[in-house]
Amino acid sequence: MADELPVASVRLIGVLPHLDRPFEYAVTPETAAAGPGMRVRVRFSGKDTEGIVLERRAEPSTDRALAPLVRLVSEDVVVPPEMMRVCEEVAARSAGTVGDVLRLALPPRHARAEKADRAAAEAESAPEADSAAEEGTVEEAESGPTAEETGEEIPQSAPSAASAAPAGRSGDRYPGLAALLARAGRPDGPVPRATLTLDPVDAWTQVAAEALAALDPAQGALVVAPDQRDVRRLSRVLTERGIEHEVLAGTEGPEKRYRTFRRILRGATRIVLGNRSAAFAPVRDLALVICWDEADDLLEEPRAPYPHTRTVLQCRSAEERCALLFLGASESVTLRSLVDVGYLARLEPVPAPVNAVRPRIVAMDQYLRDREGPSGRSRLPQEAMRVIRRGLERGPVLVQVPRTGYVPAIACTFCGTRAQCPTCSAPLSVTGRHGALHCRVCGRREDAYRCPECDRTHVRAAVVGSTRTAEELSRAFPQASLRVAGGAQGPLEDDAVPEDAIVVSTPGAEPAPAGGYAAALLLDVDAALGRAAFDADVEAVRRWQGAIALVRSADDGGEVLVVGTSTLPAVRHLVAHRSAVFPDRVLADRRELGLPPFRRIAEVVGDRQACREFLEAADLPEGTEVFGPTDLEGPDAAGRARAVLRLPPSRSRELADALRTAVAARSARKARGSLRVRLDPPDVF
């Protein structure tokens, strides 16, 4: 054993839930360099297992013989003490294991990338070591002829961040943002946390870039966005302003990602951008964390223990005392509830004329429909055609539809029953103008469909997709350039939008041209609100606001037409400017119905018998409401059931601890059957 501190406490990665605790190992002379936060390999349960050293001790806590550390993987401190505490807190909030959280936080080690980065670090430090020798030649260089005397061209230096910044600052419209940045990174006093709902005239990339530029050069910052395209957009803005940064993306290869991870780890850069996987980035001297559009479902972790990125950032803000800022085109229900309880501050803009900060938004109300006559009830009324025609005179036009494909949903003309496949019960659809009904799951072609309710054969399109919409618009505007974004067509780059283009896009796939859209059309809003989910209206508003944020202001000729039922609260919320009526109504309804965020929800899904035994064995807190277990429906759900647990948020930690203990006990018993436990699942209702 090593002479000094021969005992190492190790947290293992990837072990069973009932083994999620520190284990002690003996430090050998070969592994004497192992310290807290370093990767090691140990022998556990007959195989080599990776772990993280928590601490070194002089004496073990047991009288049993200790197994030795097999080897020290790397001397890099990949998990600093504060990051380990963040992982432990995330695991406790998510009713999961610390080992699973560490698996999310750490990218796989790549030996070649580590070797290359070590060489790069030595090369970067070499000029600093030679600076003293170069100082002796400064006087000699200064006594030589100048560039003007020799006639040589004077090289121009790169523009600084201040000179590259535009004259108009979007962040100046939000006075509270400057106060938050002034408090960011200070070790004393309260930690500033706020939410900022931007007006459509303000691009989030500009506001985020201004906030990063206002930080002290020694302070670190982390920006998390849901989509990789959002990350690239912000990266371009920072590059134009001369702000150095790193992009840590999950889409990169293992070698490039680990090399970027090591650069962040050794403090080679202070600003890090990324998507969900970058929430654990080990930024040094972290002072500010910015999250764009936290309600996007891409920020929901699909791997155990399923923590939301918002939860990870909240834990980092509490542990590392860094400022937390949520940016968005619309305020989510969760953030609004955090504002109401005092956890977040709402940053309001300076009052300004409505036409200067947002486009002109009009909904197809009863007056416009009656004025047009029969065409006013159609999916593409004449008013929509006029908006597109006026918009094409000034720039590109955006048309947002809720679904991709041609006709993704078919219904009976008489009774409205959705057409389903007789074999697998999946929805029947049409892929072309003269195509037959077919199933997208099993591939069955249905040439003689009959409605199971009324036995009629005539069907209609229940939902029209982006491909069919583009086909209709191409016939109406043959002179315009037509582009389709999202679905099978894939994403459309921002610089691939011509000035005379009509862009038909699904929500979230809209490209963002440099000058913005001259007009936008929101189609099938009733279909978007009719989605089978308890948050369909809130999610629809978020997607619509994201499209509106890409349109020019009314002073610049921007206009938006919403085609749908104008009396719906969600549609009226779009027309009103910064109205609180709709979100307040949503919160009041959820409070009365006991829905999130006023209840902590847990979901238990698995084999029917395993689900029932788990609920019987779990020591749930008093007052926990248990719904189910109920059998799941579908071709792949045979023998599976689901149960939903509900409890007030004030006792959420008790529920998480109870579920975590029950999962560990089930693992120790080696109970049969598969089981999955999630806290705050997004699709529970």
Side-chain angles (χ1 to χ4, degrees), residues 126-143:
E128 299 178 0
D130 298 339
S131 59
E134 294 177 358
E135 289 179 358
T137 61
V138 170
E139 296 181 358
E140 179 181 354
E142 290 178 350
S143 62

Side-chain angles (χ1 to χ4, degrees), residues 12-17 20 87 91 95-106 280 303-307:
L12 303 181
I13 301 177
V15 295
L16 296 174
D20 186 51
C87 294
T97 65
V98 181
D100 286 340
V101 178
L102 287 172
R103 185 179 294 174
L104 300 177
L106 293 177
F280 293 95
R303 297 170 293 176
Y306 318 104

Side-chain angles (χ1 to χ4, degrees), residues 251-462:
T251 56
E252 299 175 341
E255 181 175 358
K256 183 178 180 181
R257 185 185 179 192
Y258 193 73
R259 187 168 183 175
T260 303
F261 176 81
R262 287 200 79 256
R263 284 181 54 82
I264 299 170
L265 193 65
R266 61 184 174 88
T269 181
R270 69 181 183 93
I271 296 177
V272 178
L273 318 179
N275 41 29
R276 184 183 65 238
S277 60
F280 293 95
V283 183
R284 285 194 179 183
D285 301 321
L286 185 61
L288 175 65
V289 174
I290 300 177
C291 181
W292 162 249
D293 199 8
E294 63 84 31
D296 196 303
D297 56 3
L298 292 177
L299 295 179
E300 299 164 1
E301 179 58 57
R303 297 170 293 176
Y306 318 104
H308 196 283
T309 303
R310 176 184 60 252
T311 303
V312 178
L313 299 183
Q314 286 178 291
C315 293
R316 296 199 66 174
S317 177
E319 181 60 40
E320 302 182 47
R321 296 186 57 81
C322 58
L324 181 59
L325 177 62
F326 292 102
L327 294 177
S330 63
E331 189 178 37
S332 69
V333 174
T334 303
L335 294 185
R336 192 173 185 86
S337 65
L338 294 177
V339 170
D340 293 341
V341 299
Y343 178 81
L344 294 177
R346 181 186 289 111
L347 306 184
E348 299 288 352
V350 175
V354 176
N355 290 342
V357 298
R358 58 175 285 175
R360 177 175 175 266
I361 304 176
V362 178
M364 281 293 295
D365 55 9
Q366 193 66 27
Y367 169 75
L368 292 177
R369 295 184 185 278
D370 293 342
R371 188 181 68 176
E372 289 194 12
S375 67
R377 270 67 179 175
S378 64
R379 180 173 177 264
L380 281 170
Q382 289 300 318
E383 180 64 21
M385 298 301 183
R386 284 192 287 268
V387 169
I388 296 177
R389 191 175 296 108
R390 290 195 299 264
L392 289 175
E393 296 175 357
R394 303 184 300 272
V397 176
L398 174 65
V399 179
Q400 187 193 75
V401 293
R403 294 287 298 274
T404 184
Y406 194 81
V407 180
I410 304 295
C412 176
T413 306
F414 181 75
C415 66
T417 303
R418 289 291 184 96
Q420 294 182 335
C421 175
T423 303
C424 65
S425 300
L428 295 177
S429 61
V430 177
T431 56
R433 189 174 184 183
H434 302 290
L437 297 180
H438 79 287
C439 177
R440 292 174 295 176
V441 177
C442 66
R444 171 170 176 161
R445 179 185 172 116
E446 191 65 25
D447 293 325
Y449 176 79
R450 285 187 175 274
C451 177
E453 296 293 332
C454 63
D455 202 41
R456 297 175 187 264
T457 59
H458 295 286
V459 295
R460 61 176 175 83

Side-chain angles (χ1 to χ4, degrees), residues 592-648:
E592 183 177 354
L593 298 174
L595 296 175
F598 300 103
R599 289 293 187 273
R600 190 76 190 272
I601 304 297
E603 182 188 52
V604 181
V605 180
D607 295 341
R608 187 185 299 112
Q609 187 63 26
C611 188
R612 292 175 180 173
E613 292 177 353
F614 178 83
L615 294 176
E616 293 174 357
D619 186 16
L620 300 176
E622 184 179 356
T624 303
E625 299 177 86
V626 181
F627 303 95
T630 58
D631 293 342
L632 297 178
E633 298 180 356
D636 300 330
R640 295 179 62 81
R642 185 185 77 151
V644 177
L645 313 179
R646 188 168 65 178
L647 197 68

Side-chain angles (χ1 to χ4, degrees), residues 28 140 152 159 313 379 390 441 458 472 524 539 541 582 591 602 624:
T28 62
E140 179 181 354
E152 297 179 359
L313 299 183
R379 180 173 177 264
R390 290 195 299 264
V441 177
H458 295 286
E472 296 176 1
D524 303 329
E539 179 64 17
V541 168
F582 174 71
R591 184 189 298 273
T624 303

